[in-house]
Each structure stands twice: as C-alpha cells, then as structure tokens.
Amino acid sequence: ILSTVTERVDAELMDAAGEDLKVVANMAVGYDNIDLDAAGERDVVVTNTPEVLNETTADTAFMLLLAAARRLGEAERLLRSGGWDAWGPMQLTGPDVWGKKLGVLGFGRIGQAVARRARGFDMEVLYHDQYRNEEAEQELGARYLDLNELLGTCDFISVHTPLSDETHHLIGATELDRMKPETVLVNTSRGPVVDEASLADALAEDRIFAAGLDVYEEEPEVHPRLLELENVVLAPHIGSASVETRDKMAALAAENIVAVLSGEEPKTPVNG
Ligand code: GLV
C-alpha cells in the first residue's frame, strides 16, 4: 500500500488487503494515520518519508508566520474585494517579525530548519521539546525553555511535534491563555495538536494576535469559526508541496516498497 495522510490505515484495511500485504509506505513524514500495532501483528513493514521535506516544510512555516503577522490574507481579501481605496499610515499594520522571539515547539528536524530561517531574521530562538538537544542549541544559538515559559515569553510560536496521545491538544485553552496578546501561532504539524475550538475563541477575542495554519483536526474540514476570522491564515495542508520535494517523497516511498518486496531493508522504516 502506498498511502498518504488522507488514508487511515488500520487493522480493517490491512485485513481487507489480505495476507500478501507486506508494506505500507506512507508518502509523509508523519504516520499517525497508520496503526503501527496492527501492522506489527501482521508483520507489515511501515515506512515514511523523513528528511526530504524538512526544508520545504520549514519554508511553509515561515511563510505562514510572515503572512499571519503582516496580515497578508486579510490584505489580499481587501484588495480583491475592491475595498482598497487609498494608502493609509496605519492600514493593515501588524507586528514586525525580525528581531522578535520565536518559540519552536518540537525541536526535531523541521523545527531546527525553522530555527535556521529565524536566525536570518535576527530572531531570538527559544524551544521546547521532550528532550534537550545541546548540540543543536549551540549550532543554532537556541535556548531551551519549559513549555509554560515558552508560551508566555515568545512573540511567535511554531508547532513541529508529531501527533501522539501526548501531543493531542498540546495547545488548548489553558496554553492559549498563557500566550501574550501579541502572539502569532503557527501550526504545520498535525491539526489535533491544537484545540481548534479554543484557538477560534482566542483569535475571535483577540487574546492572541493571529494564527497561520496548514493542518486541521478533521481534514479537509476546517472549523467553521476559523473560516470567518480575519486574523488567521489558512492553507490546505501544503507544508511539503514544492515540486522538488513531492517528487522526492514519491520516489522515497516507491523505493521503500521495492526494497521490502525485494527482501531488502527499506531506507526509512518506522516500525523496526
Ligand atoms: C505531511 O503532512 C507529512 O507528514 O509529510
């Protein structure tokens, strides 16, 4: 099976595929759509596509960060609707990005690629993760903070954790309340890491400044209240959507399938 994030690959699907099923190759780095226990019980190898999408996904996070801060979606809607009648001194102003504090939540390969971009914008990089990574801290000039400190300190927070039981609704009402009113939240990881209803409340009440989202709790559905808000930039899960990167992801998924069917080790297995 060559799967994408859209397919839920569970025991029922694997049983329907039958006993010849050898490999599920997900064309994605995240594999929360696949039941690894069910795969293990059936001796099915599961693979993903890490590394090849790090830089492109980091670009997307930065694109959303800039667009949300500088109100690009709202500005474009104004222009296209014919509502732009003159240049205004404080029209469509948002906070600066450069020189501000960026909090990277989940300091893995993509989070670190975002941190590298932030340095080019003279940002102070702070991070939180389950584990400290002192080598990456040194290389990127990043500082570790506990989650509550990170939430209360940063001007920008970009989420890069995988989805698991531990990270489900990692950002909920309590965490949003800890953020400053200037905060811009960006999520390019998985929708359920952020409680969408609580985020819609916080944005509607201007408890945070803006958000940039690429992922949603019930894709392709988007929380209807988010669709009505000006201060959220909404992208349809295009984090890795460059021509080059999608080609590499497809090739890697195919190589993983060929390897397993040839009795070899796949390049990027996720279940041993
Ligand atoms: C896409 O969402 C991925 O995990 O690669």
Side-chain angles (χ1 to χ4, degrees):
I1 295 176
L2 171 66
S3 53
T4 72
V5 295
T6 304
E7 286 87 44
R8 169 137 299 284
V9 185
D10 54 13
E12 192 186 347
L13 189 140
M14 291 184 219
D15 287 341
E19 287 187 0
D20 285 343
L21 179 65
K22 299 276 183 296
V23 53
V24 176
N26 213 33
M27 188 180 149
V29 62
Y31 45 85
D32 50 277
N33 56 314
I34 300 173
D35 183 337
L36 289 189
D37 292 335
E41 285 159 15
R42 289 160 183 77
D43 286 328
V44 170
V45 178
V46 177
T47 66
N48 68 341
T49 59
E51 303 290 355
V52 292
L53 46 59
N54 293 347
E55 303 299 328
T56 304
T57 308
D59 281 351
T60 304
F62 229 84
M63 169 180 82
L64 289 172
L65 187 154
L66 286 164
R70 300 295 303 279
R71 301 168 61 178
L72 180 62
E74 185 184 351
E76 203 198 359
R77 283 188 292 279
L78 177 77
L79 183 152
R80 284 180 186 267
S81 70
W84 183 44
D85 44 17
W87 185 91
M90 294 307 282
Q91 185 183 50
L92 288 164
T93 48
D96 268 324
V97 170
W98 70 274
K100 296 286 179 66
K101 289 188 172 70
L102 170 68
V104 179
L105 186 49
F107 206 50
R109 296 165 290 218
I110 299 171
Q112 289 174 37
V114 171
R116 274 200 300 282
R117 281 155 180 75
R119 295 195 62 187
F121 282 72
D122 285 335
M123 297 178 92
E124 186 182 338
V125 179
L126 306 155
Y127 79 97
H128 178 77
D129 196 291
Q130 216 176 339
Y131 309 102
R132 264 191 81 163
N133 182 339
E134 289 177 23
E135 203 181 310
E137 282 177 29
Q138 297 250 311
E139 187 202 329
L140 299 167
R143 192 153 57 88
Y144 180 88
L145 292 182
D146 73 31
L147 181 59
N148 285 340
E149 270 183 295
L150 186 98
L151 296 171
T153 306
C154 292
D155 305 294
F156 295 87
I157 296 172
S158 192
V159 181
H160 301 285
T161 58
L163 175 61
S164 66
D165 290 344
E166 288 77 48
T167 62
H168 184 266
H169 284 191
L170 181 64
I171 302 292
T174 313
E175 290 71 27
L176 288 157
D177 278 345
R178 295 214 162 93
M179 296 178 191
K180 307 190 287 187
E182 303 83 40
T183 303
V184 173
L185 176 70
V186 172
N187 187 12
T188 53
S189 66
R190 282 293 181 267
V193 177
V194 176
D195 174 353
E196 258 170 34
S198 298
L199 176 61
D201 288 342
L203 289 166
E205 293 159 17
D206 292 322
R207 282 188 276 119
I208 65 170
F209 182 75
L213 304 177
D214 187 46
V215 287
Y216 305 90
E217 287 200 61
E218 304 283 349
E219 295 180 12
E221 303 300 321
V222 177
H223 197 291
R225 282 169 43 230
L226 289 176
L227 291 170
E228 285 164 15
L229 292 169
E230 288 288 9
N231 56 348
V232 57
V233 179
L234 303 167
H237 205 145
I238 53 168
S240 62
S242 73
V243 177
E244 295 91 335
T245 292
R246 285 286 167 86
D247 276 351
K248 286 182 195 150
M249 290 165 68
L252 180 52
E255 284 167 34
N256 281 326
I257 292 175
V258 171
V260 174
L261 296 186
S262 311
E264 288 159 20
E265 273 296 306
K267 270 194 184 162
T268 50
V270 297
N271 64 346

